[in-house]
Amino acid sequence: MGSKNRQAKARARKVPSKNPKAAPVATSTRETPFFCFHHADRATKEAWAFKPGGGQASELLDFLCDMGRLKWNDIESQETGTRKRRRKHHSQSIGSLDTAAQADLRKRKLDETFGDEMFRFRLSGKSRLWGFRAKRVFHVIWWDPDHQVYPTEPS
């Protein structure tokens, strides 16, 4: 195996799951993302169903096109905030999500398929796109225009 090939494999990091049934997840930071909508949750009765409407659909499509041109390491390094810098897009423990969101995942057995962490993109002030990351693929699950999957108090 060549030196470059070994280095590329070393860069791909393993993300362990506490769930033994979950598929092993490896992430690759030097590749552009692929967006998969196979698991998009359009059936939930919650506000985060993947049903962007009106101007939201246009905002989301523009965002996906922009993110699709970047490499994962560039996406992960984006920050937000003026006084306190925070990662704009990041992983989030399923256990920290709203209990109804956790129930939606369990009902569809997505926690068993993907593990105990989701990845979320921040589009704007409140808008979030939630899913699971497996290698370079982002499996879209929810569109959360009002920040309800992981509600926070204003800071």
Side-chain angles (χ1 to χ4, degrees):
M1 181 181 338
S3 173
K4 285 187 179 183
N5 204 4
R6 276 193 300 272
Q7 290 172 349
K9 285 192 176 204
R11 283 186 207 113
R13 63 180 180 187
K14 296 279 184 190
V15 179
S17 170
K18 293 175 187 160
N19 185 340
K21 294 180 182 177
V25 177
T27 57
S28 177
T29 60
R30 295 192 177 261
E31 295 180 298
T32 56
F34 286 142
F35 294 94
C36 174
F37 295 86
H38 177 78
H39 298 287
D41 188 355
R42 300 175 59 82
T44 185
K45 301 296 184 213
E46 302 295 339
W48 49 76
F50 189 77
K51 295 182 180 180
Q56 294 177 343
S58 178
E59 173 190 11
L60 182 56
L61 182 59
D62 288 346
F63 179 81
L64 291 172
C65 289
D66 291 344
M67 292 298 107
R69 291 183 189 102
L70 300 175
K71 291 186 174 29
W72 274 110
N73 60 339
D74 296 324
I75 292 169
E76 291 174 337
S77 68
Q78 290 183 2
E79 294 181 335
T80 187
T82 52
R83 293 188 309 197
K84 186 176 180 183
R85 307 298 288 171
R86 296 180 184 163
R87 287 184 301 140
K88 191 173 183 180
H89 317 293
H90 58 81
S91 294
Q92 184 84 33
S93 168
I94 289 174
S96 69
L97 305 181
D98 181 89
T99 54
Q102 292 179 48
D104 279 350
L105 293 172
R106 281 192 307 272
K107 182 172 131 183
R108 297 179 65 212
K109 299 184 190 248
L110 293 174
D111 55 337
E112 293 177 21
T113 302
F114 292 106
D116 56 359
E117 283 195 345
M118 293 188 80
F119 191 88
R120 67 103 167 145
F121 284 100
R122 177 183 179 176
L123 280 73
S124 62
K126 288 185 174 182
S127 301
R128 304 292 187 269
L129 179 65
W130 290 87
F132 290 96
R133 201 172 148 200
K135 297 186 181 179
R136 71 188 294 189
V137 179
F138 181 76
H139 297 271
V140 174
I141 307 298
W142 297 313
W143 168 244
D144 181 19
D146 297 317
H147 205 301
Q148 293 182 18
V149 171
Y150 177 70
T152 57
E153 297 294 323
S155 40

